Amino acid sequence: MIKWIGRQLSAGGVSLILLLLLIALVIFGPLIAPYSPTESAGVPLSRPSGAHLFGTDTLGRDVLSRILLGGQLLLIMSLASTVLTYLIAIPIGMIAAVNKGVVDDILMRGVDVLIALPAMLVLLVVLSAAGSGIPIIIIGTAIVRIPLVSRVTRAATLEVFSSEYVESALTRGERIWSIFIREVMPNIKEAVFSTVGLSFTAAVLIMSSLNFLGVGLQPPSPDWGIMISENRSIFEMNPYAVLVPTLLLAILTVSISGTWDSFERRSGAKRTKTPVVPKVRASAR
Amino acid sequence: MTAARTVALSLDDITVTTRSGDSIVQNVSIDIPAGSIVGIVGESGAGKSTVALSTLGYEQAGTAISSGRMHLGDREVTFPAKAFVSDIRGKRIAYVPQEPAVSLNPSTRVAASLISMRRLHGMDADISYIRQILRSVHLPSDPGFLRRYPHQLSGGQQQRLCLALGLACEPEVLVLDEITTGLDVVTQEAILDEVRRLATERQIGVIYITHDLAVVAELADRLVVMYAGEIVESGPTSEVIRRPAHPYTKALIEAAPSHRRPSRVRPLDGIVPAIDARPSGCFFAPRCPLATEICRTEHPELGDLSDKHSVRCFHTEKVEPVLEPQLRETGILVEDPKVLLAIDELTASHKTKNGRLTVAESISLQITEGECVALVGESGSGKTTIARSIIGLHTFDSGTVSLGGEPINPAVRSRTRDQRRRMQFIFQNPRGSLNPKQTIQEIVTRPLTQLRGLGRVDAEREFFSLLDEVRLPTSTAGKLPRELSGGERQRIGIARALAAQPDLLICDEVTSSLDVSVQAAVLELLRELGRDRGLGMLFITHDLGVVASIAHEVLVLLKGRICERGSVSDVLSKPSHDYTKSLLFSAPSLQRAADRIGILKGDEDEDRTRTI
């Protein structure tokens, strides 16, 4: 029986189930939270009990309620920053690929500078100086992933742009944006979007780190990163206040990349199936 | 022919199947006598390479040699073989693959690759012996050469090195898989001479695999013609070429263009059936002009015509002798033709590390309505750069390109929409020139809306009439390029060009990636389109046979300069420049092979013979 379940569940399937559970928790958590996440609800530092399933923290806030609310902003902000990364990086990569010469040099050297600087350090400086507004956190986190995504886009575009179907479009005098959308995008999207899983995971990790380090979201907002940071000094008294948020963060990142990987593999397998000799290919896999 | 030779290798009833049980190659039996060359000919999908690899006991991913036997001297191997013994593969049977550039390890020097080949098979790797091998394939053997890397060799030298690697362990059998495809004709001729000499001198049995009938006709002692995974005809080259007994062999010979004189090719309709879609009767029946009821229901066996010649056909006695090539009109059919394209003193160059390299110099030519001008040259002669300069994809350095009397801007971007419409380009590789993510309808409709400004309804109607014009069924419309065969894809390339209603087509090696029978169909289609629409055509090719079947005027390109120009009949029959002569002499030719055989064999079988 256990073997049977094991066979039915691939790594991708398990990741997907975990991810869906976490998303459900983030969406419905606030509705079922028993107490306010920011106000004292009982005796500080109480151990888990019927009233407080995961106990309370130094200020007497209910740990369970804070956990239930702590993923929401993180997930929304990571998503926004990932979308932003691609919105900026794809045009940069495509423009650099097509304008070999000065434009390419300027864009790609800029990207090189971003790669060379330690991302975390820069973010710390920027956020300390500019303040920890939510838009700034999102933009800052988005910029960290731009170098990689724009490089992947540039490489894929270069390859597609040297193809004869793009040349054919050039001889028709098509506008460059029309070529990007009709000829290039459909043929580079697999390469570019294969990085989405990693980018999203990275955004989650960077944001939680910023929150943990105290330059991201500010207390008393409930957030897993902040909770780990606040409660590590009371680990002996209430370990759940640290362990549960840590575990949830770990599950979130692993399940995002696991789900995306298997999604990629599936669509990849569909693509490589050639109709001419399908059986040979199918058995070769 | 000499008396009975010892058989170096014999394949007996080899069948290779996919894991799902479809056979790729079935019941193939071939004997390769020592010191002789057996040519395996067929179009893509015939299973030639699969047979070649099975002699090494090599199974491609997803396939298995499921039955059959192999005799190598005193050694017998029965398939399926559990472990194919490594003292056979590479040592007693050596394989030389198609593309030397990718089959040589780029980081191994010449000597090192030969030495490791011998050591691998437990043989001594004495440097003097290495030198001797290199000399035997006419490569230099000085220490400087021994230290070179593959990329420092020319294409011909790389292929010779591959041959040397094949010979390194003194094999009894050499399997050569399309080894001259991609080499220019002069180099090809030299390599073929080498193969012929090595076979005789060393008494090696050679299997020579190719799609080019003309190559093996001049080289091989025996021919094996394969179609859809089985042998359809096998016999002495002279007999097979002069009086083919299978309709497919006959069609292949008739489809091959000849560079002797301007003549039409005879296309063979249809395509080779896919592995899982082979008909129940004779595999060739759907394309065969002689097919009757029995051909569609029963599968013919390989029957003997004589002790040396066998054929797989129910109606072999009805196969007519090969038709004489039909001479074609070499004049321009348009009355009072206007000049469409005029190129004057065009010079083009490429940027390299050490400044600019001029690849085309002082090129002048004119194309009138209904005229096909062929630009002939080998790789590196600058012919593609010239074509790209004309269409506007390459910015040339000096000279003028005029369309209909007006000079046009070098860059395609700066030309008017009408100028872009009037000149259309057909690309070499139909796989790369069609966007893999667009349907055929999207691909062909784009120029209709973009260059001619047609509305959706008009464009759709026009699209279907174009499909009809390039002889593709309407069901093609919603397909993706990968669902089509190479020939069908090239027809789409042609349809896309015609969609613009151009005055002029620029065709860059449009048939070089196609099978002979498909090439013939595409050439005929282009010739008819040129005639019916009065199109001017610039035809870029390395193949003189293609020139003979389509061009009116020929320009021969040598290192970026035109070295000879003239009408097609003059250039082919009375070449004046030495380079043109050497091209014509080196190009393999079925006719020459047939003539040579005719001289050797005398008139012993006059009754069924006619000159091809």
Side-chain angles (χ1 to χ4, degrees):
Chain A
M1 183 65 189
I2 291 167
K3 262 192 186 168
W4 182 84
I5 293 172
R7 247 181 286 136
Q8 300 307 304
L9 291 178
S10 57
V14 173
S15 301
L16 182 64
I17 291 170
L18 287 175
L19 186 62
L20 289 176
L21 283 176
L22 265 174
I23 289 172
L25 177 111
V26 166
I27 292 172
F28 300 110
L31 304 177
I32 55 167
Y35 302 95
S36 157
T38 48
E39 277 158 39
S40 177
V43 186
L45 298 175
S46 48
R47 300 223 150 232
S49 64
H52 303 286
L53 212 55
F54 289 137
T56 57
D57 63 8
T58 31
L59 299 176
R61 294 172 301 196
D62 179 44
V63 171
L64 174 67
S65 301
R66 282 180 70 78
I67 285 171
L68 287 174
L69 269 88
Q72 202 167 39
L73 213 46
L74 173 72
L75 214 57
I76 292 171
M77 286 167 67
S78 309
L79 197 65
S81 118
T82 310
V83 171
L84 193 63
T85 301
Y86 285 82
L87 283 180
I88 299 171
I90 292 175
I92 289 183
M94 293 210 287
I95 292 169
V98 180
N99 295 289
K100 271 172 266 171
V102 184
V103 182
D104 188 23
D105 279 347
I106 292 173
L107 287 173
M108 285 299 119
R109 289 309 79 78
V111 162
D112 285 346
V113 169
L114 278 178
I115 291 177
L117 293 171
M120 227 33 221
L121 218 59
V122 175
L123 282 177
L124 280 177
V125 173
V126 170
L127 290 174
S128 313
S132 303
I134 287 179
I136 296 179
I137 301 176
I138 292 178
I139 294 168
T141 316
I143 289 172
V144 173
R145 290 294 293 180
I146 285 177
L148 184 119
V149 178
S150 61
R151 282 194 164 254
V152 171
T153 311
R154 178 174 171 274
T157 308
L158 273 180
E159 194 191 322
V160 170
F161 228 79
S162 66
S163 73
E164 292 181 334
Y165 54 84
V166 170
E167 293 195 324
S168 168
L170 288 171
T171 64
R172 284 198 298 272
E174 301 263 8
R175 281 172 212 283
I176 193 76
W177 287 109
S178 158
I179 293 180
F180 277 159
I181 292 164
R182 287 176 50 88
E183 317 284 344
V184 178
M185 262 322 273
N187 290 295
I188 64 166
K189 62 170 196 262
E190 280 125 18
V192 173
F193 291 141
S194 68
T195 57
V196 164
L198 275 176
S199 297
F200 196 10
T201 314
V204 170
L205 284 177
I206 292 169
M207 252 177 231
S208 328
S209 309
L210 292 175
N211 294 345
F212 174 85
L213 292 170
V215 293
L217 293 172
Q218 295 301 315
S221 31
D223 174 87
W224 296 337
I226 295 176
M227 287 181 72
I228 299 171
S229 154
E230 282 175 342
N231 298 330
R232 70 209 144 117
S233 56
I234 56 158
F235 188 81
E236 283 90 28
M237 281 158 279
N238 186 357
Y240 296 101
V242 174
L243 286 182
V244 179
T246 313
L247 188 69
L248 287 175
L249 271 179
I251 292 175
L252 180 63
T253 51
V254 169
S255 67
I256 288 172
S257 46
T259 306
W260 191 265
D261 276 2
S262 83
F263 169 71
E264 275 283 302
R265 255 199 307 279
R266 267 159 205 260
S267 53
K270 226 180 276 167
R271 275 200 308 280
T272 49
K273 220 186 213 171
T274 20
V276 194
V277 276
K279 289 182 179 164
V280 183
R281 290 293 173 89
S283 51
R285 229 183 297 122
Chain B
M1 289 286 124
T2 48
R5 287 177 166 135
T6 48
V7 174
L9 174 74
S10 112
L11 295 177
D12 189 13
D13 221 14
I14 298 280
T15 295
V16 181
T17 53
T18 65
R19 295 229 174 99
S20 54
D22 295 312
S23 39
I24 301 171
V25 154
Q26 53 187 33
N27 309 102
V28 168
S29 305
I30 304 173
D31 285 348
I32 296 102
S36 80
I37 302 172
V38 176
I40 303 184
V41 201
E43 297 182 289
S44 37
K48 325 180 278 292
S49 287
T50 309
V51 170
L53 291 172
S54 70
T55 60
L56 303 169
Y58 182 78
E59 299 165 340
Q60 281 162 299
T63 73
I65 307 172
S66 51
S67 69
R69 277 173 309 285
M70 188 177 105
H71 297 268
L72 177 68
D74 50 355
R75 189 69 169 271
E76 181 176 338
V77 180
T78 307
F79 294 109
K82 278 206 187 66
F84 201 80
V85 263
S86 64
D87 65 327
I88 295 184
R89 190 189 286 178
K91 190 174 178 188
R92 297 182 65 185
I93 303 180
Y95 176 78
V96 181
Q98 183 167 357
E99 286 190 54
V102 290
S103 57
L104 292 169
N105 184 340
S107 59
T108 310
R109 297 173 196 267
V110 169
S113 59
L114 286 162
I115 290 169
S116 67
M117 186 75 181
R118 284 191 55 94
R119 292 233 171 100
L120 185 69
H121 294 285
M123 303 172 90
D124 70 285
D126 187 34
I127 196 71
S128 63
Y129 184 77
I130 301 297
R131 290 221 169 90
Q132 192 198 321
I133 299 174
L134 287 173
R135 275 196 297 272
S136 76
V137 293
H138 288 138
L139 280 174
S141 57
D142 57 284
F145 187 82
L146 291 177
R147 292 179 49 78
R148 287 214 200 155
Y149 288 105
H151 72 268
Q152 296 170 313
L153 310 178
S154 71
Q157 285 179 324
Q158 286 176 345
Q159 197 54 278
R160 282 169 198 270
L161 178 59
C162 283
L163 265 180
L165 281 167
L167 293 169
C169 300
E170 298 160 63
E172 295 146 57
V173 177
L174 202 52
V175 182
L176 310 175
D177 191 356
E178 300 261 15
I179 56 164
T180 60
T181 309
L183 298 180
D184 56 63
V185 283
V186 181
T187 318
Q188 164 168 293
E189 175 75 6
I191 297 277
L192 294 181
D193 277 341
E194 213 70 72
V195 170
R196 208 174 290 135
R197 195 178 51 76
L198 289 168
T200 334
E201 271 177 18
R202 300 190 167 217
Q203 285 296 299
I204 300 175
V206 175
I207 302 181
Y208 194 96
I209 288 163
T210 181
H211 66 282
D212 190 342
L213 201 52
V215 167
V216 275
E218 295 205 59
L219 178 76
D221 302 306
R222 273 183 76 79
L223 272 189
V224 173
V225 183
M226 289 192 66
Y227 184 80
E230 57 181 21
I231 296 176
V232 291
E233 179 165 2
S234 104
T237 308
S238 55
E239 275 184 49
V240 175
I241 294 294
R242 291 212 299 175
R243 35 172 236 203
H246 195 280
Y248 177 65
T249 317
K250 175 175 179 284
L252 264 190
I253 294 174
E254 289 173 352
S258 147
H259 63 260
R260 284 286 193 80
R261 55 186 92 83
S263 50
R264 287 171 61 177
V265 282
R266 289 191 176 77
L268 172 61
D269 287 336
I271 52 164
V272 182
I275 290 162
D276 52 351
R278 287 180 183 156
S280 56
C282 172
F283 293 163
F284 188 61
R287 301 172 80 184
C288 182
L290 303 177
T292 57
E293 202 43 47
I294 185 172
C295 305
R296 290 185 195 97
T297 49
E298 273 181 59
H299 192 77
E301 293 300 315
L302 199 60
D304 287 346
L305 285 178
S306 66
D307 57 340
K308 287 188 214 138
H309 196 164
S310 45
V311 66
R312 188 188 294 277
C313 182
F314 291 118
H315 304 301
T316 180
E317 73 287 350
K318 287 196 214 142
V319 177
E320 301 266 330
V322 171
L323 292 168
E324 189 101 33
Q326 190 182 342
L327 292 184
R328 69 178 176 86
E329 198 62 55
T330 54
I332 300 161
L333 294 171
V334 180
E335 272 179 47
D336 190 18
K338 287 199 286 289
V339 175
L340 289 173
L341 180 79
I343 294 163
D344 191 38
E345 293 288 314
L346 181 131
T347 298
S349 60
H350 283 297
K351 207 158 62 180
T352 62
K353 267 181 247 159
N354 327 314
R356 295 196 75 86
L357 175 73
T358 304
V359 288
E361 215 175 336
S362 310
I363 305 292
S364 299
L365 62 92
Q366 279 198 347
I367 301 174
T368 67
E369 289 170 307
E371 184 184 29
C372 177
V373 174
L375 200 54
V376 188
E378 297 180 342
S379 47
S381 62
K383 55 190 194 307
T384 294
T385 308
I386 295 173
R388 291 170 61 86
S389 298
I390 297 171
I391 197 72
L393 287 170
H394 183 94
T395 312
F396 50 87
D397 303 347
S398 64
T400 51
V401 175
S402 322
L403 187 63
E406 298 166 46
I408 54 174
N409 197 295
V412 70
R413 216 177 271 240
S414 312
R415 293 179 183 172
T416 65
R417 188 169 89 162
D418 196 54
Q419 286 169 343
R420 288 194 295 256
R421 180 189 65 73
R422 291 173 67 186
M423 211 163 26
Q424 289 293 311
F425 200 86
I426 305 177
F427 292 88
Q428 171 169 11
N429 178 0
R431 184 188 290 259
S433 68
L434 307 179
N435 187 335
K437 299 286 158 114
Q438 291 179 359
T439 65
I440 300 308
Q441 182 158 8
E442 284 172 308
I443 291 169
V444 180
T445 308
R446 191 66 182 172
L448 292 171
T449 55
Q450 199 64 14
L451 292 172
R452 279 169 60 195
L454 294 186
R456 211 165 49 86
V457 182
D458 287 339
E460 183 162 330
R461 195 178 48 233
E462 182 80 18
F463 164 71
F464 282 106
S465 83
L466 281 166
L467 268 193
D468 192 47
E469 197 162 2
V470 296
R471 310 209 181 99
L472 287 173
T474 47
S475 60
T476 319
K479 289 187 176 166
L480 291 174
R482 62 152 192 258
E483 296 173 79
L484 304 182
S485 69
E488 288 171 324
R489 282 193 213 122
Q490 198 53 291
R491 282 166 198 265
I492 295 299
I494 295 171
R496 175 173 60 187
L498 292 178
Q501 276 188 339
D503 301 333
L504 186 73
L505 286 182
I506 298 173
C507 310
D508 185 11
E509 295 271 15
V510 288
T511 59
S512 63
S513 64
L514 304 176
D515 276 323
V516 188
S517 66
V518 181
Q519 161 174 294
V522 169
L523 285 177
E524 277 299 286
L525 176 68
L526 283 171
R527 206 180 55 78
E528 282 167 24
L529 287 170
R531 189 189 60 201
D532 299 345
R533 291 187 170 219
L535 286 171
M537 268 190 254
L538 180 63
F539 214 89
I540 287 154
T541 183
H542 68 282
D543 187 337
L544 291 162
V546 169
V547 171
S549 59
I550 195 160
H552 298 112
E553 176 94 5
V554 183
L555 308 177
V556 184
L557 214 53
L558 174 63
K559 293 182 183 143
R561 286 172 172 276
I562 293 174
C563 70
E564 173 155 8
R565 66 168 80 205
S567 75
V568 62
S569 4
D570 284 354
V571 172
L572 293 180
S573 57
K574 301 190 287 277
S576 58
H577 195 278
D578 285 345
Y579 177 67
T580 318
K581 286 180 195 163
S582 79
L583 276 186
L584 283 166
F585 176 78
S586 309
S589 151
L590 266 176
Q591 281 75 4
R592 193 168 58 197
D595 292 353
R596 191 185 289 169
I597 294 158
I599 296 161
L600 290 177
K601 295 271 278 188
D603 300 321
E604 64 187 50
D605 34 30
E606 193 70 69
D607 52 341
R608 280 190 70 179
T609 314
R610 252 199 250 170
T611 32
I612 305 161

